[in-house]
Amino acid sequence: MIVDAHHHLWDPSRREYPWMPPALAAPFTTDDLRQETALAGVDRTVLVQTVSSAAETAEFCATAAASEGLIAGVVGWVDHTRDVPTQLVGLAHAEFLRGVRHQVEDEPDPDWLRRPDVVAAVRSARGLVVDLLVRFDQLPAAVALLDAVPDGEFVLDHGAKPPVGTDGFEPWRAGTAELARRENVVCKLSGLFTLDHQELLGPAVDHLFTVFGPDRLVFGTDWPVSTLALDYPAVVARTRALLDAFSDDERSAVLAGNAVRTYRL
């Protein structure tokens, strides 16, 4: 089994996506996802938020409910400065909401995750995984958040986007190693193939393998963002190639088992 634990859907004719480059400004629907996953042999997916919108979260839960089992869970947006359960009152198909996320990487303050209101909101999100979309300079604040909420469950999206080929690589390396020392966080092997300096990606991937290990790595395609570099089946194939050194059981864990456990799929 393969679980794609990180992908998106969107329709620019219905909603604005401030971060979106023109090359991605086309609808990507559940029907498109179904076609791509069938080609790549992916069985289940986790649909992840794209904008700071409670309406999108509600739509994604409804989309999962109508997907006939393909979309097994949703990571939706909630305001990370307010009590989370209050925001979810009345959410239809809430059983599909398995995690929450805010695009912290867009916050100018590298210490945004240390804010008392953010810590309180994350602490209130018990029963939901908190996905962390952070820059490398925000990793110390992410460590502080995990220490402040030791009973929380966290996922580091895209390996914190390793800034290979830049002065940020060593701080990223140190920050991810420190984060990985906390046992309540797993790391997504996702979004890596659209990074700059692909020829230098190897040491970053090796580092993530070393500090997290196969029991705390989760596969995701980051589709459709990934189409900037590779088509969907190629992302799956290239990720599987990265796992060649692992045992069969370890590969199964990264490709499916860890996602099933983490998001309770």
Side-chain angles (χ1 to χ4, degrees):
M1 184 170 71
I2 301 178
V3 175
D4 177 358
H6 195 106
H7 75 88
H8 311 287
L9 299 173
W10 59 63
D11 185 352
S13 71
R14 296 184 58 249
R15 178 176 284 121
E16 290 187 4
Y17 302 86
W19 56 268
M20 183 177 288
L24 294 175
F28 287 87
T29 68
T30 305
D31 288 341
D32 298 323
L33 176 69
R34 195 177 303 282
Q35 180 176 3
E36 297 289 356
T37 53
L39 288 171
V42 169
D43 302 277
R44 297 289 183 270
T45 73
V46 176
L47 175 58
V48 179
Q49 67 89 216
T50 65
V51 289
S52 299
S53 167
E56 183 193 65
T57 301
E59 290 171 13
F60 277 3
C61 288
T63 297
S67 72
E68 299 176 336
L70 175 59
I71 300 173
V74 170
V75 176
W77 179 84
V78 294
D79 185 342
H80 278 47
T81 66
R82 297 171 47 223
D83 180 73
V84 171
T86 302
Q87 299 178 62
L88 301 178
V89 172
L91 177 65
H93 306 294
E95 68 273 15
F96 286 96
L97 187 68
R98 305 304 169 89
V100 294
R101 186 177 86 150
H102 176 68
Q103 286 153 305
V104 180
E105 66 176 6
D106 293 335
E107 299 291 344
D109 182 5
D111 286 324
W112 192 83
L113 287 172
R114 298 181 192 264
R115 288 175 40 165
D117 54 352
V118 173
V119 173
V122 170
R123 189 175 286 128
S124 76
R126 284 185 172 84
L128 294 170
V129 178
V130 177
D131 272 40
L132 298 170
L133 180 62
V134 295
R135 305 184 306 266
F136 74 89
D137 64 321
Q138 294 170 323
L139 285 167
V143 170
L145 176 65
L146 266 65
D147 287 344
V149 191
D151 58 344
E153 299 175 87
F154 298 89
V155 173
L156 180 64
D157 286 351
H158 311 325
K161 296 183 179 179
V164 292
T166 75
D167 292 340
F169 185 75
E170 284 307 317
W172 168 85
R173 194 173 185 278
T176 49
E178 186 63 28
L179 193 75
R181 292 188 180 98
R182 279 72 184 165
E183 295 184 357
N184 58 336
V185 61
V186 304
C187 175
K188 280 183 185 173
L189 285 178
S190 59
L192 300 178
F193 304 132
T194 52
L195 297 175
D196 294 333
H197 304 294
Q198 282 288 300
E199 72 280 3
L200 302 176
L201 188 60
V205 173
D206 291 344
H207 170 72
L208 293 175
F209 284 170
T210 298
V211 298
F212 285 99
D215 59 333
R216 288 198 292 151
L217 292 173
V218 173
F219 163 65
T221 61
D222 198 28
W223 180 88
V225 178
S226 58
T227 61
L228 294 172
L230 300 168
D231 62 28
Y232 192 102
V235 172
V236 175
R238 188 169 175 186
T239 303
R240 295 185 73 160
L242 291 175
L243 305 177
D244 280 348
F246 289 171
S247 70
D248 288 346
D249 287 346
E250 290 170 338
R251 283 194 295 272
S252 294
V254 176
L255 292 172
N258 295 341
V260 170
R261 182 188 74 244
T262 299
Y263 290 113
R264 300 180 180 90
L265 304 181

